[in-house]
Amino acid sequence: MSVQPAYRGRFAPSPTGPLHFGSLVAAVGSYADALAHQGSWLLRIEDVDEGRRVKGAADSILRTLETLGFQWQGEVLHQSRRKARYQEILDRLLARGLAYPCGCTRREVEAVGRRGAEGWIYPGTCRQGMPPGRRERAVRLRVPAATVRFVDRLFGAQCQELEREVGDFVIRRADGFFAYQLAVVVDDLDQGVTDVVRGADLLHSTPRQIHLQRLLGAPTPRYLHLPLVLDENGRKLSKRDLAHPLDPGRPLEALLAAWRFLGQPPPEEPMKDVKTFWAWAALNWNPQRIRREGAR
Ligand code: GLU
């Protein structure tokens, strides 16, 4: 009989700006879900893309989370300090023939590739080896002509034909940085994450991550993707446009706004402080109330 491991959740912000309402929703959803399962909750700074890192953003995010009463377990993991580990996994995938060096430029991919839901589908030019005279730029993961299926706790049954819809995807980029898709899988594996609760913009990435998990013999976590907070133009809020930063001077208001956005009825009694809020939230979190399209 197999024993279910204890719940381990995480929040994994990219330090591209101060915490805004959109990432607060992801933080509140994942923390409340962990508390409701009496699980642990980890924090990871996803600074693998060092070009997008904004100075001071990681510290500012941590400070805001502290003010809002979030409590994470252990040390904060920084992706920028884990390159040796990512390299080890990359080498293993290359040695097994599951990944391959690619010499194509973006322009070349766009000239012959098809357009997918998220970027270009790689036409497979370097799959059987780089054409002579080419210099290695990126490393890609070979994907099979198979369908990846999983059940999201909010969005239900999902399936994606990796080869047709995504194509062989980059795991080490031409600028030398490891790709998010590789880093997130290795980190979730190493941190023993059982439950991923994050924004629905990553729903489309999940089959790639599940495929990588299977290649590495890693367990697949449960997934709960949360509705996205959109701006006036229907676009996802981004930390980079500095839109809607949180007011850390009003922590309870911020928490309650995120709570309501997630379809959770507010407490009947006014809350004294953030600590009281979280104790109450742990008992009252009900993911079945979340609406896919989010709150108005
Ligand atoms: N770093 C991503 C973000 O800030 C989240 C990635 C994840 O939760 O897997 O949107």
Side-chain angles (χ1 to χ4, degrees):
M1 204 179 79
S2 73
V3 182
Q4 282 270 359
Y7 185 113
R8 265 166 100 81
R10 58 27 165 220
F11 177 53
S14 309
T16 53
L19 199 73
H20 61 62
F21 186 65
S23 38
L24 177 66
V25 166
V28 167
S30 75
Y31 192 48
D33 201 56
L35 289 178
H37 285 86
Q38 286 146 2
S40 47
W41 192 70
L42 312 170
L43 195 60
R44 175 160 86 223
I45 295 294
E46 296 212 320
D47 55 358
V48 69
D49 184 350
E50 294 178 40
R52 287 181 69 223
R53 188 161 64 176
V54 170
K55 211 165 168 269
D59 281 344
S60 138
I61 292 173
L62 296 187
R63 257 183 283 116
T64 306
L65 290 173
E66 260 163 17
T67 311
L68 296 173
F70 289 88
Q71 286 181 0
W72 52 91
Q73 201 178 56
E75 301 243 322
V76 178
L77 198 78
H78 290 256
Q79 290 185 326
S80 57
R81 299 180 196 155
R82 289 181 38 84
K83 290 179 196 163
R85 175 66 174 145
Y86 303 146
Q87 186 66 49
E88 181 191 322
I89 297 289
L90 186 88
D91 290 343
R92 214 186 286 170
L93 292 167
L94 282 166
R96 288 166 66 198
L98 298 168
Y100 61 87
C102 169
C104 298
T105 62
R106 179 183 296 243
R107 197 174 298 163
E108 285 164 339
V109 173
E110 289 178 4
V112 268
R114 277 181 301 120
R115 231 200 145 106
E118 255 176 34
W120 293 84
I121 299 172
Y122 184 62
T125 322
C126 299
R127 235 185 178 201
Q128 314 304 337
M130 284 192 291
R134 296 314 297 262
R135 173 180 69 82
E136 169 176 340
R137 294 172 55 84
V139 175
R140 289 181 184 272
L141 194 79
R142 207 182 283 282
V143 299
T147 306
V148 176
R149 294 172 203 280
F150 72 102
V151 178
D152 182 81
R153 289 169 57 199
L154 177 64
F155 288 86
Q158 304 288 313
C159 71
Q160 191 177 69
E161 285 179 50
L162 274 182
E163 192 183 33
R164 193 177 61 79
E165 295 179 56
V166 180
D168 294 349
F169 59 93
V170 169
I171 52 176
R172 207 208 56 228
R173 306 172 356 166
D175 58 14
F177 294 126
F178 291 95
Y180 156 73
Q181 306 291 357
L182 178 80
V184 72
V185 168
V186 177
D187 294 344
D188 284 339
L189 165 64
D190 290 352
Q191 293 191 292
V193 168
T194 62
D195 285 82
V196 171
V197 181
R198 62 183 177 189
D201 52 328
L202 292 162
L203 201 52
H204 191 267
S205 288
T206 306
R208 264 171 279 177
Q209 295 171 14
I210 292 177
H211 176 60
L212 246 173
Q213 287 155 5
R214 291 179 182 161
L215 295 180
L216 299 176
T220 289
R222 279 178 295 258
Y223 287 97
L224 168 58
H225 285 88
L226 302 173
L228 292 182
V229 182
L230 305 176
D231 67 14
E232 304 77 33
N233 304 313
R235 283 192 308 248
K236 184 196 165 207
L237 285 193
S238 141
K239 292 191 206 81
R240 284 205 295 175
D241 28 286
L242 290 178
H244 313 271
L246 284 176
D247 177 359
R250 304 167 66 123
L252 260 179
E253 277 86 341
L255 290 173
L256 285 168
W259 183 255
R260 256 185 265 114
F261 179 84
L262 290 168
Q264 311 294 308
E268 277 162 22
E269 306 279 306
M271 294 275 119
K272 193 162 83 288
D273 51 25
V274 292
K275 205 165 158 226
T276 328
F277 168 80
W278 283 117
W280 174 87
L283 302 174
N284 288 279
W285 170 247
N286 180 358
Q288 314 240 2
R289 294 209 186 98
I290 309 171
R291 293 176 37 191
R292 288 182 196 180
E293 63 281 7
R296 302 236 147 225

